[in-house]
Amino acid sequence: MTPPRTPQIPVVVLAGFLGSGKTTLLNHLLRNRAGTRIGVIVNDFGAIEIDAMTVSGQVGSTVSLGNGCLCCAVDASELDTFLETLTRPSARLDVIVIEASGLAEPQELVRMLLASDNPHILYGGLVEVVDAAEFGRTRQRHPEIDRHLAVADLVVLNKTDRVGEAERERLRAAVAELSGPAAVISAVHGRIDPELLFDPALRPDHEDKVRQLTFEDLLREEAPDGHEGHEGHDDHLHASYESVDFTSDIPMDPRRFMEFLDSRPDGLYRIKGFADFGAGDRDNTYALHAVGRFLRFVPRPWARGEQRLTQLVMIGAGIDAAALSAGLAACRADEPGRADAADVERAMWGVLRYVQEQAPEPEVFDAHGTADPRRAAAEA
């Protein structure tokens, strides 16, 4: 039996004032996407390293960067139109990144995404890039940066190699105060682990064995020192964040679980996975998608013979892994015989407030029940 899917593509908003390094970060993602097909929407793609890639085709304002990566130059009014184009099955994209203009209001892009009627997208978070060396002067010129940081889901404190350690810690504290619950990570040259923003795409074996040489391959081969190609463990891209896994064969108590999610700590950027609510809904498992403070569940029927587990991955910066694991363990339900059916039903209303209906297309889950970026939870 093949469970139904929600073929939704995460849409990440990448923002930051001029010179913060957001285009450098975007180029880094394009170079280190490990086969993930990225759609890019920008106001002006002149600074993206298209010259480093032979453009394979151009139609209107859409440029193909090779192996499914697209670049669109759009105004905000055109956003829905291009999202409709990029989410067509023929585009076969895994994630869409919107690079906001340096003077754009990122919260407006977020508002448009959350208000969109496009059933094929889900909110992937607002990433605000900050120039560590120029932060003070940027706040003087653009005091609205405080407002932008306040609505960010993830803050990348970039160019930290240009400030001393004491100044770096001071800046990190200042940014964290302005951004509230958002995760704050440090970076040099925009190098962050792409898995912070999206899951690696899983491809059928034949797609890896029989394919054209991609621009990613060429860039990796041309890199003299490895810094322009795929980042290895020597670069410690993962050092600035933590990933915490949680698995339980005991169902989750819906009330306790929602209390945990409502009070999740600062710095916890993403939560993904599946929750089993036991007596709360014996027919379905619930795919969970949380970015920042946005949360959605998508129920799907249990497959015949599928092991009933809660499986979650939490990603953040400055988080207490042990406390998170203990908090989730405390959300497990009491013995089934002690549960009051009416009380369990009332508790499920807290979950159902965040439920989004599924799209009708089928999807294949792997043997571990792991969701790829297209399936998964729902718009958040």
Side-chain angles (χ1 to χ4, degrees):
M1 177 179 178
T2 301
R5 76 166 178 178
T6 56
Q8 294 176 302
I9 303 173
V11 181
V12 178
V13 178
L14 182 61
F17 283 92
L18 296 171
S20 63
K22 62 183 183 296
T23 300
T24 302
L25 191 155
L26 178 56
N27 284 324
H28 166 76
L29 294 178
L30 290 172
R31 288 171 175 269
N32 296 275
R33 53 194 171 82
T36 299
R37 295 188 174 98
I38 303 175
V40 180
I41 299 177
V42 293
N43 295 120
D44 177 9
F45 57 81
I48 295 179
E49 295 174 3
I50 294 178
D51 287 341
M53 314 173 187
T54 303
V55 176
S56 60
Q58 181 170 350
V59 179
S61 56
T62 301
V63 176
S64 173
L65 301 182
N67 197 30
C69 287
L70 301 175
C71 184
C72 305
V74 301
D75 295 323
S77 61
E78 300 175 294
L79 183 60
D80 267 335
T81 300
F82 276 90
L83 285 175
E84 183 64 32
T85 299
L86 294 180
T87 55
R88 290 174 182 169
S90 58
R92 303 177 66 210
L93 295 180
D94 300 298
V95 63
I96 296 171
V97 178
I98 300 176
E99 184 191 5
S101 163
L103 298 177
E105 287 291 339
Q107 61 266 42
E108 285 303 304
L109 287 172
V110 172
R111 181 191 60 77
M112 293 173 67
L113 289 175
L114 294 176
S116 175
D117 293 327
N118 188 326
H120 302 299
I121 65 170
L122 62 87
Y123 177 58
L126 168 60
V127 180
E128 182 78 16
V129 184
V130 173
D131 183 341
E134 296 291 328
F135 180 61
R137 285 180 285 272
T138 300
R139 287 188 77 192
Q140 290 178 350
R141 293 193 304 270
H142 304 289
E144 60 269 29
I145 191 175
D146 290 10
R147 185 174 66 251
H148 295 184
L149 287 168
V151 297
D153 299 302
L154 173 68
V155 178
V156 178
L157 187 60
N158 195 29
K159 305 184 184 180
T160 53
D161 57 323
R162 296 177 56 190
V163 297
E165 183 176 352
E167 176 67 1
R168 184 164 60 246
E169 291 305 312
R170 187 193 69 79
L171 287 169
R172 183 182 178 86
V175 168
E177 182 177 358
L178 291 169
S179 59
V184 180
I185 62 170
S186 299
V188 175
H189 302 304
R191 291 177 184 149
I192 67 171
D193 193 327
E195 289 193 41
L196 264 172
L197 306 184
F198 49 81
D199 300 331
L202 301 177
R203 300 287 176 217
D205 290 342
H206 68 272
E207 288 197 24
D208 290 329
K209 294 176 182 176
V210 182
R211 62 176 174 81
Q212 289 183 316
L213 185 67
T214 68
F215 297 120
E216 180 183 317
D217 298 325
L218 294 173
L219 288 168
R220 187 182 298 117
E221 289 178 5
E222 291 173 0
D225 57 4
H227 288 296
E228 295 300 323
H230 181 72
E231 303 290 355
H233 285 284
D234 291 341
D235 293 281
H236 298 295
L237 295 176
H238 61 282
S240 58
Y241 73 94
E242 284 188 89
S243 178
V244 181
D245 296 338
F246 176 83
T247 301
S248 175
D249 58 1
I250 300 173
M252 307 299 281
D253 178 281
R255 181 176 287 111
R256 294 177 199 161
F257 189 55
M258 290 309 301
E259 289 174 353
F260 172 86
L261 292 176
D262 287 342
S263 62
R264 54 193 185 271
D266 294 355
L268 184 54
Y269 172 56
R270 292 179 66 196
I271 308 176
K272 56 185 179 178
F274 299 87
D276 172 19
F277 291 113
D281 187 347
R282 297 195 184 279
D283 296 327
N284 294 291
T285 180
Y286 283 72
L288 181 158
H289 170 77
V291 177
R293 294 290 142 180
F294 293 94
L295 170 67
R296 286 294 183 271
F297 289 101
V298 175
R300 69 158 174 87
W302 290 103
R304 183 177 302 171
E306 181 178 358
Q307 186 177 9
R308 300 198 172 204
L309 297 173
T310 292
Q311 296 177 298
L312 300 170
V313 178
M314 295 165 286
I315 301 172
I319 56 177
D320 186 333
L324 285 174
S325 296
L328 282 172
C331 295
R332 291 180 293 194
D334 298 323
E335 296 178 20
R338 297 173 56 187
D340 178 81
D343 185 60
V344 171
E345 183 178 351
R346 286 192 297 271
M348 279 299 293
W349 281 107
V351 175
L352 298 176
R353 287 186 300 127
Y354 295 95
V355 162
Q356 174 178 319
E357 293 298 323
Q358 301 183 62
E361 294 88 344
E363 166 149 286
V364 177
F365 285 72
D366 68 20
H368 303 288
T370 302
D372 69 25
R374 289 186 168 193
R375 66 171 72 104
E379 175 187 319

